[in-house]
Amino acid sequence: MTGWRALTLAAAVLLGGCASITRVDNDVQSFASWTSPVPRPLSFRFERLPSQQIDIASQDAVEQLALPSLAQAGLVLDTANARYSLQISTQMLTESTWDRPYGPWGRRGPWMGGGRGMHGPFMAPMMPMVPMEVRSYQRLLSLVLRDLATGQVVYETQASQDSNWPIGSDLIPAMVTAALHGFPNPPAGLQRITVDTAPAPAPK
């Protein structure tokens, strides 16, 4: 996994509360294959895979969270007059130190200890110490844009975030913003894109 961090950059008293900005690093790779000039704004409708139709409420929520960032990039939801379809998918991956080939102890295993005696260094059995489990998390987000007239995929992009803490869906807007960096003509290769996110306004 690549590194991910969400750092609190500043805190200030605002209307009697604390406001902070979170900096989110995303690893992004995008590909474009346009065959005609890109319309601006670009009208689209959402496309769903069969697996995304099982939990409709969850997919609805993902798409709604993505809409503001899509609009900022010039993609406007217009289901009736769409020229393109957009498929958005996201998933969370979890890795534990216990899932590694040698477990959390490493290659030597839990039963060996070492030291230095009168006749030099030695290895000896020892009682195992059980390390604390460490989990890491990765959220993936992908966007696939398809020309409805030709059926051809014209834009594909993926963003990923890594963290030692679960990555909530509240960061989906930032991931979409990062994934569309450079749209419609993205830079080549893997890019590290940083997005600053402001906290949600406090309820009145």
Side-chain angles (χ1 to χ4, degrees):
M1 289 186 181
T2 55
W4 177 88
R5 58 193 174 95
L7 302 179
T8 300
L9 297 181
V13 176
L14 180 63
L15 299 177
C18 290
S20 62
I21 294 177
T22 300
R23 171 162 289 182
V24 181
D25 289 342
N26 304 265
D27 289 330
V28 176
Q29 192 160 20
S30 305
F31 305 89
S33 180
W34 302 102
T35 56
S36 60
V38 182
R40 305 303 293 268
L42 184 151
S43 60
F44 76 93
R45 61 173 173 80
F46 283 115
E47 175 186 351
R48 295 183 180 181
L49 296 172
S51 59
Q52 294 174 322
Q53 298 176 21
I54 297 174
D55 188 350
I56 296 178
S58 177
Q59 187 63 22
D60 280 343
V62 170
E63 293 170 357
Q64 290 301 312
L65 285 168
L67 281 177
S69 297
L70 292 169
Q72 289 178 4
L75 285 77
V76 177
L77 180 62
D78 186 352
T79 302
N81 303 294
R83 293 183 56 185
Y84 298 85
S85 68
L86 178 66
Q87 177 190 321
I88 178 171
S89 60
T90 181
Q91 66 177 130
M92 175 85 80
L93 304 177
T94 304
E95 183 182 73
S96 167
T97 49
W98 288 90
D99 297 332
R100 297 172 182 172
Y102 297 98
W105 297 280
R107 188 181 294 271
R108 290 184 176 180
W111 295 99
M112 298 301 294
R116 179 174 292 274
M118 296 179 59
H119 303 288
F122 66 90
M123 296 296 294
M126 62 179 291
M127 290 299 292
M129 294 183 63
V130 181
M132 181 181 297
E133 181 187 24
V134 177
R135 289 180 176 269
S136 56
Y137 302 86
Q138 183 182 54
R139 182 177 283 278
L140 304 176
L141 180 139
S142 69
L143 301 172
V144 177
L145 191 66
R146 190 185 304 273
D147 187 330
L148 290 173
T150 64
Q152 179 180 348
V153 173
V154 294
Y155 202 88
E156 176 188 1
T157 181
Q158 183 178 82
S160 65
Q161 293 179 17
D162 294 345
S163 176
N164 291 327
W165 303 96
I167 305 169
S169 59
D170 56 313
L171 291 182
I172 287 177
M175 296 190 72
V176 174
T177 296
L180 291 173
H181 175 75
F183 180 87
N185 299 302
L190 185 65
Q191 306 289 318
R192 171 62 60 90
I193 308 299
T194 300
V195 178
D196 292 340
T197 63
K204 297 182 180 180

